[in-house]
Amino acid sequence: MSLKYSYTLIAPFYDAAIDRATRAARKRSLAALAETPGRVLLAGVGTGLDLPHLPPQHDYVGLDLNQAMLRRALPRVGSVEFVAVQGDAQRLPFADASFDSAVLHLILAVVPEPAHCFAEISRVLKPGGQVLVFDKFLRRGQPALLRRMANPLVRRIATRLDVVFEDLLAEAPSLALEHDQPALAGGWFRMIRLRKL
């Protein structure tokens, strides 16, 4: 089953399952966006659960692979400047160095090739640009046997359970880690901030 198809099926139920559990962490993550106005990419904007928490001074581009998700996001836009774009976070349809910041909330564990997504984010960021990540990650060497056993099935439907953030970071040498803290589920979910060198 493709992600595009599975998330078309999931879209009507996604908010009920995810919103309440992740709202506080999303707000904390988005509070780190720069005060200086800029252009911000919301990669994997989904149903727009981040939109009500966005600071108003920026221009936002929300990208998602799935049209059903984007349709659900639009009513949440509110008063911010927002453009919805259907596209693949692993092959971003944007020029190099065209964004000041990027928000990756619950997308790196969804895409089939998170390292490609991370590399693309680095490509479209301006030097000095920031990346805000909120997602679930294993740590290097962490056994997590149940997660690893469930991963082959779960990744076909909705999300990966085996992404190691440190491995992604090693493949994106232009991104420097600034902040990394546990967010939910005993540290399985993390809030991470990076800067493009």
Side-chain angles (χ1 to χ4, degrees):
M1 180 183 297
S2 74
L3 281 177
K4 201 168 187 179
Y5 179 71
S6 66
Y7 272 88
T8 298
L9 296 177
I10 291 168
F13 313 105
Y14 184 85
D15 293 357
I18 301 297
D19 183 25
R20 181 180 237 170
T22 64
R23 188 180 306 148
R26 287 174 186 274
K27 287 166 97 169
R28 284 197 316 272
S29 175
L30 292 167
L33 278 170
E35 291 187 17
T36 306
R39 189 169 186 234
V40 179
L41 173 62
L42 306 172
V45 69
T47 62
L49 295 179
D50 289 330
L51 297 179
H53 314 299
L54 295 175
Q57 68 269 30
H58 303 294
D59 292 332
Y60 296 95
V61 175
L63 176 128
D64 206 274
L65 183 64
N66 190 285
Q67 190 62 40
M69 290 291 209
L70 287 173
R71 275 196 303 272
R72 294 182 73 82
L74 291 175
R76 291 192 161 106
V77 171
S79 59
V80 298
E81 292 294 324
F82 178 83
V83 175
V85 175
Q86 187 173 4
D88 187 344
Q90 300 169 113
R91 287 176 287 283
L92 293 171
F94 308 114
D96 294 359
S98 54
F99 289 92
D100 300 287
S101 299
V103 175
L104 287 79
H105 284 180
L106 304 180
I107 182 67
L108 288 171
V110 169
V111 295
E113 298 293 338
H116 291 174
C117 176
F118 216 43
E120 278 289 272
I121 291 297
S122 178
R123 178 184 68 77
V124 302
L125 270 182
K126 297 175 183 175
Q130 71 175 168
V131 185
L132 304 178
V133 176
F134 165 60
D135 218 323
K136 54 193 167 302
F137 299 107
L138 295 180
R139 296 201 182 262
R140 277 190 178 148
Q142 183 179 2
L145 294 177
L146 287 176
R147 291 180 210 162
R148 292 183 188 277
M149 287 171 48
N151 188 63
L153 173 63
V154 175
R155 73 182 290 176
R156 292 180 182 276
I157 300 167
T159 189
R160 293 180 55 158
L161 304 176
D162 66 341
V163 178
V164 176
F165 177 75
E166 289 73 17
D167 293 345
L168 300 182
L169 188 58
E171 296 203 27
S174 65
L175 295 177
L177 182 65
E178 289 190 333
H179 181 78
D180 181 357
Q181 74 177 67
L184 291 171
W188 183 20
F189 287 77
R190 290 154 65 185
M191 222 176 317
I192 297 167
R193 190 170 65 246
L194 305 108
R195 184 80 52 187
K196 182 171 180 181
L197 302 173

